[in-house]
């Protein structure tokens, strides 16, 4: 048993060194190329409208606010200033969303975003995005990369197609630090010893973002309340949770397997599903020793089996907001196909670790 476990870990480490590291290097190169273009577009936006200041800065070889969705798809979060005159309200009526309401006694004119406030006093995510989309469309025509960048039409999101190869979504957002949403108040679960109190304090201090992007309720149509609402996102808090042991290595292997074998019709799976399942695996295996390098194989198998279960049940709850289903809106046939492919992959890795050389 121990010999089989050691053999799997050996092949996983080899896979990590060869396949995962080359994936990382290729994506880093793409990010540099993409960020040059996006920065140039945002510089033009800022000239037209100084309220939209580019926050795409590089720190420690990372671009702040950039998320890799797949090797050809990225999201850049553009942090806006001055949320101060609004109250953050998340009453759970829109899973995964919250609203920003003008504080009592505050005049509209005190807000930097006065013309985007609705009659009922809400700062409308849709109105801000619509204005931003107009500005980006104009900036694309003026920027020095105009030959290689185009707007993606037929969406209310702000998406750029770069060199006909990459898609970058630019999402206006507010950073919320020092508060924690009521809809995530159940976390951490009292009966689970992971993460410890210090890590919990760090995660909560990291806070969350409010993104201006489409959020759909179960009927697939957007109500006016939803179009004014902001989407909750916990990227930095989630990254903080995955520090220590082989957690990040495990996620890197999962992302690489997804890119190479689970990029399927209907796009049932993305990197974020993998990240979410690693967090759940941390709760199931709360001891730090569970995440020693020599347990990498066990953790990976556990996550792949959990992924198959989620795909078969057609439900993958968000880690911090379990009422939000990350498979919502995905075609059932795509989820079934992904379950079959994931099962094949898991069986192959478990029964023949050497197969990782070809995966």
């Amino acid at each position: 048993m121990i010999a089989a476990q050691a053999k799997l870990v050996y092949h996983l480490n080899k896979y990590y060194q060869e396949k995962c590291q080359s994936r990382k290097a290729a994506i880093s190169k793409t990010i540099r190329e993409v960020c040059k273009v996006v920065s140039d577009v945002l510089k033009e936006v800022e000239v037209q409208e100084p309220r939209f200041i580019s926050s795409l800065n590089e720190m420690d070889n990372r671009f702040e606010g950039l998320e890799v969705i797949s090797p050809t798809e990225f999201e850049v979060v553009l942090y806006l200033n001055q949320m101060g005159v609004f109250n953050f309200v998340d009453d759970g009526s829109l899973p995964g969303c919250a609203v920003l309401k003008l504080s009592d006694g505050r005049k509209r004119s005190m807000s930097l975003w006065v013309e985007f406030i609705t009659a009922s006093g809400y700062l409308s995510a849709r109105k801000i995005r619509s204005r931003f989309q107009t500005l980006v469309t104009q900036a694309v025509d003026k920027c020095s990369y105009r030959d290689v960048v185009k707007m993606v039409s037929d969406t209310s999101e702000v998406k750029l197609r770069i060199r006909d190869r990459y898609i970058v979504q630019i999402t206006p957002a507010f950073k919320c630090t020092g508060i924690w949403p009521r809809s995530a108040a159940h976390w951490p679960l009292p009966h689970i010893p992971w993460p410890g109190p210090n890590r919990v304090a760090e995660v909560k201090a990291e806070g969350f973002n409010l993104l201006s992007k489409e959020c759909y309720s179960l009927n697939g149509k957007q109500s006016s309340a939803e179009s004014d609402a902001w989407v909750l996102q916990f990227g930095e808090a989630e990254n903080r949770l995955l520090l220590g042991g082989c957690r990040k290595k495990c996620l890197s292997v999962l992302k690489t397997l997804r890119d190479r074998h689970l990029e399927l019709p209907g796009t049932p799976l993305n990197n974020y599903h993998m990240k979410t399942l690693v967090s759940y695996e941390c709760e199931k295996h709360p001891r730090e020793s569970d995440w020693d390098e020599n347990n990498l194989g066990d953790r990976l198998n556990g996550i792949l089996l959990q992924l198959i279960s989620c795909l078969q049940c057609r439900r993958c709850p968000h880690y911090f907001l379990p009422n939000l289903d990350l498979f919502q809106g995905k075609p059932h046939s795509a989820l079934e196909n992904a379950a079959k492919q994931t099962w094949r992959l898991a069986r192959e890795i478990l029964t023949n670790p050497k197969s990782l050389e070809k995966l």
Side-chain angles (χ1 to χ4, degrees), residues 201-271:
E202 285 173 16
V203 165
K204 289 193 171 182
E206 201 67 70
F208 56 96
N209 294 327
L210 290 176
L211 307 185
S212 168
K213 63 200 296 189
E214 290 175 359
C215 65
Y216 292 102
S217 64
L218 294 171
N219 62 13
K221 292 196 177 70
Q222 225 182 357
S223 66
S224 60
E226 283 173 307
S227 63
D228 291 332
W230 297 75
V231 175
L232 293 154
Q233 186 238 36
F234 296 83
E236 294 303 321
E238 289 157 350
N239 291 342
R240 178 77 58 163
L241 274 181
L242 299 187
L243 296 174
C246 66
R247 292 175 178 88
K248 285 175 99 170
K249 183 185 271 193
C250 189
L251 178 57
S252 191
V253 170
L254 286 161
K255 285 176 178 178
T256 308
L257 289 170
R258 189 216 75 89
D259 289 354
R260 295 167 76 95
H261 304 282
L262 299 169
E263 182 63 84
L264 302 166
T267 325
L269 292 174
N270 58 34
N271 287 343

Side-chain angles (χ1 to χ4, degrees), residues 105-126:
R106 295 289 191 136
K107 294 191 176 70
R108 287 162 186 269
S109 56
M110 295 168 83
S111 169
L112 186 63
W113 307 99
V114 59
E115 73 270 40
F116 305 109
I117 301 172
T118 65
S120 348
Y122 294 106
L123 181 62
S124 168
R126 179 185 48 83

Side-chain angles (χ1 to χ4, degrees), residues 150-326:
K150 294 182 183 68
M151 287 291 285
V152 175
S153 52
D154 74 20
T155 171
S156 86
E157 311 280 20
V158 179
K159 288 189 178 182
L160 303 177
R161 188 187 301 283
I162 297 173
R163 299 190 203 282
D164 281 329
R165 273 207 303 277
Y166 309 115
I167 299 283
V168 184
Q169 178 165 334
I170 312 177
T171 305
F174 287 105
K175 204 188 231 335
C176 304
T177 48
I179 57 170
W180 191 248
R182 191 192 305 176
S183 47
H186 66 282
W187 184 87
L189 298 172
H191 57 284
I192 290 176
W194 179 88
N198 292 349
R199 183 57 52 88
V200 169
E202 285 173 16
V203 165
K204 289 193 171 182
E206 201 67 70
F208 56 96
N209 294 327
L210 290 176
L211 307 185
S212 168
K213 63 200 296 189
E214 290 175 359
C215 65
Y216 292 102
S217 64
L218 294 171
N219 62 13
K221 292 196 177 70
Q222 225 182 357
S223 66
S224 60
E226 283 173 307
S227 63
D228 291 332
W230 297 75
V231 175
L232 293 154
Q233 186 238 36
F234 296 83
E236 294 303 321
E238 289 157 350
N239 291 342
R240 178 77 58 163
L241 274 181
L242 299 187
L243 296 174
C246 66
R247 292 175 178 88
K248 285 175 99 170
K249 183 185 271 193
C250 189
L251 178 57
S252 191
V253 170
L254 286 161
K255 285 176 178 178
T256 308
L257 289 170
R258 189 216 75 89
D259 289 354
R260 295 167 76 95
H261 304 282
L262 299 169
E263 182 63 84
L264 302 166
T267 325
L269 292 174
N270 58 34
N271 287 343
Y272 191 66
H273 295 120
M274 301 304 184
K275 193 181 192 185
T276 300
L277 291 172
V278 175
S279 300
Y280 280 121
E281 189 74 3
C282 291
E283 285 190 347
K284 285 187 203 152
H285 298 277
R287 295 194 306 262
E288 276 311 300
S289 59
D290 294 333
W291 292 88
D292 286 347
E293 289 286 329
N294 57 359
N295 288 320
L296 177 61
D298 289 350
R299 296 295 76 82
L300 185 84
N301 280 327
I303 294 165
L304 288 174
L305 293 174
Q306 183 61 59
L307 174 57
I308 294 163
S309 169
C310 287
L311 288 162
Q312 287 173 337
C313 301
R314 301 176 190 148
R315 182 167 163 73
C316 179
H318 186 287
Y319 179 66
F320 287 117
L321 310 169
N323 288 341
L324 183 65
D325 177 16
L326 299 177

Side-chain angles (χ1 to χ4, degrees), residues 7-252:
K7 187 178 174 191
L8 177 53
V9 170
Y10 167 78
H11 284 289
L12 281 170
N13 276 322
K14 200 170 164 208
Y15 187 82
Y16 178 75
Q17 292 302 336
E18 290 168 10
K19 311 271 171 60
C20 299
Q21 296 291 33
S22 69
R23 172 190 178 274
K24 270 187 186 168
I27 288 177
S28 294
K29 192 167 171 246
T30 302
I31 286 172
R32 294 207 165 279
E33 193 181 329
V34 156
C35 285
K36 267 188 212 158
V37 179
V38 174
S39 294
D40 202 56
V41 170
L42 290 175
K43 206 165 65 192
E44 284 296 336
V45 168
E46 203 179 315
V47 169
Q48 299 172 65
E49 172 54 276
R51 285 181 297 183
F52 291 102
I53 299 166
S54 173
S55 53
L56 185 62
N57 302 315
E58 190 178 1
M59 285 166 68
D60 306 327
N61 283 332
R62 277 185 71 227
F63 283 90
E64 195 190 358
L66 183 129
E67 285 282 323
V68 178
I69 293 161
S70 79
T72 56
E73 199 171 341
F74 306 89
E75 181 170 20
V76 169
V77 173
L78 181 76
Y79 293 109
L80 306 175
N81 287 324
Q82 209 215 24
M83 191 182 107
V85 298
F86 296 97
N87 284 332
F88 166 78
V89 183
D90 72 326
D91 56 7
S93 59
L94 295 170
C97 298
V99 291
L100 291 173
K101 192 168 188 352
L102 201 58
S103 310
D104 293 341
R106 295 289 191 136
K107 294 191 176 70
R108 287 162 186 269
S109 56
M110 295 168 83
S111 169
L112 186 63
W113 307 99
V114 59
E115 73 270 40
F116 305 109
I117 301 172
T118 65
S120 348
Y122 294 106
L123 181 62
S124 168
R126 179 185 48 83
K127 287 183 175 181
I128 283 190
R129 189 167 70 249
S130 173
R131 171 77 180 126
F132 183 58
Q133 191 174 40
T134 306
L135 292 165
V136 172
T137 305
Q138 292 164 359
V140 162
D141 291 338
K142 290 181 182 168
C143 78
S144 44
Y145 290 96
R146 54 186 169 274
D147 297 340
V148 297
V149 60
K150 294 182 183 68
M151 287 291 285
V152 175
S153 52
D154 74 20
T155 171
S156 86
E157 311 280 20
V158 179
K159 288 189 178 182
L160 303 177
R161 188 187 301 283
I162 297 173
R163 299 190 203 282
D164 281 329
R165 273 207 303 277
Y166 309 115
I167 299 283
V168 184
Q169 178 165 334
I170 312 177
T171 305
F174 287 105
K175 204 188 231 335
C176 304
T177 48
I179 57 170
W180 191 248
R182 191 192 305 176
S183 47
H186 66 282
W187 184 87
L189 298 172
H191 57 284
I192 290 176
W194 179 88
N198 292 349
R199 183 57 52 88
V200 169
E202 285 173 16
V203 165
K204 289 193 171 182
E206 201 67 70
F208 56 96
N209 294 327
L210 290 176
L211 307 185
S212 168
K213 63 200 296 189
E214 290 175 359
C215 65
Y216 292 102
S217 64
L218 294 171
N219 62 13
K221 292 196 177 70
Q222 225 182 357
S223 66
S224 60
E226 283 173 307
S227 63
D228 291 332
W230 297 75
V231 175
L232 293 154
Q233 186 238 36
F234 296 83
E236 294 303 321
E238 289 157 350
N239 291 342
R240 178 77 58 163
L241 274 181
L242 299 187
L243 296 174
C246 66
R247 292 175 178 88
K248 285 175 99 170
K249 183 185 271 193
C250 189
L251 178 57
S252 191

